[in-house]
Amino acid sequence: MANLRRDGLHKLTTRLAAMYGTVVVEDLNVTGMLANRKLARHIADAGFAEIRRQLAYKTGWNGGRLLVADRWYPSSKTCSGCGAVRTKLALSEREYQCEACGLIMDRDRNASLNLAALAAELNTAGSGPVAARGADRKTRVRGRVALKREPGTASAGQTGTVPPQGGTADHVLAKAH
Ligand SMILES: [Zn+2]
């Protein structure tokens, strides 16, 4: 089982790093989530930390980059259509419904679009060595949002797309349910 799992994680991260120039993950509060007994087993099973570790060096091999969204960035609670942020969103709500603009969308797809937009904002913030240095620090985008480049990844300025869905630990978790 351990070998199958290891093989599966490697295949996933190899494919993501080969297909996309930019991969975005969320810096999850794993310790806090492990305190929730219902979530704990799924999180341990999903191997979030290992996925992130592999993506960091594999995106580097492919000349891409791994971006890490701050753990406080409300990727699930934000409307990808109008930017409104919901104050509450239960884990059981699999469909995002925006009270401001009426958008209804799969929860994971909505969160993925928000993370993709976050990466795009970082790309348009500048290019070249100056932007690359700036991106190594925590870069504030959209209020409290912070996005940083994972140390050890390749040069910035590469453009690419984010997987339309299933690309973040949040979504791996969602699919485990
Ligand atoms: Zn909206």
Side-chain angles (χ1 to χ4, degrees), residues 8 38 42 65 68 97 102 108 130 146-147 153 158 169 174 177:
K38 254 181 14 191
H42 292 305
R65 61 183 179 168
V68 181
Q97 296 189 18
D108 298 328
V130 175
L147 196 61
T153 55
Q158 302 261 355
H177 280 262

Side-chain angles (χ1 to χ4, degrees), residues 77-79 81-86 96-104:
K77 290 179 184 163
T78 303
C79 173
C82 73
V85 181
R86 289 183 48 168
Y96 184 91
Q97 296 189 18
C98 179
E99 288 143 22
C101 75
L103 175 134
I104 297 175

Side-chain angles (χ1 to χ4, degrees), residues 70 72-74 140-146:
D70 187 274
W72 305 114
Y73 174 59
R140 291 184 83 77
V141 193
R142 255 199 234 163
R144 281 168 49 209
V145 175

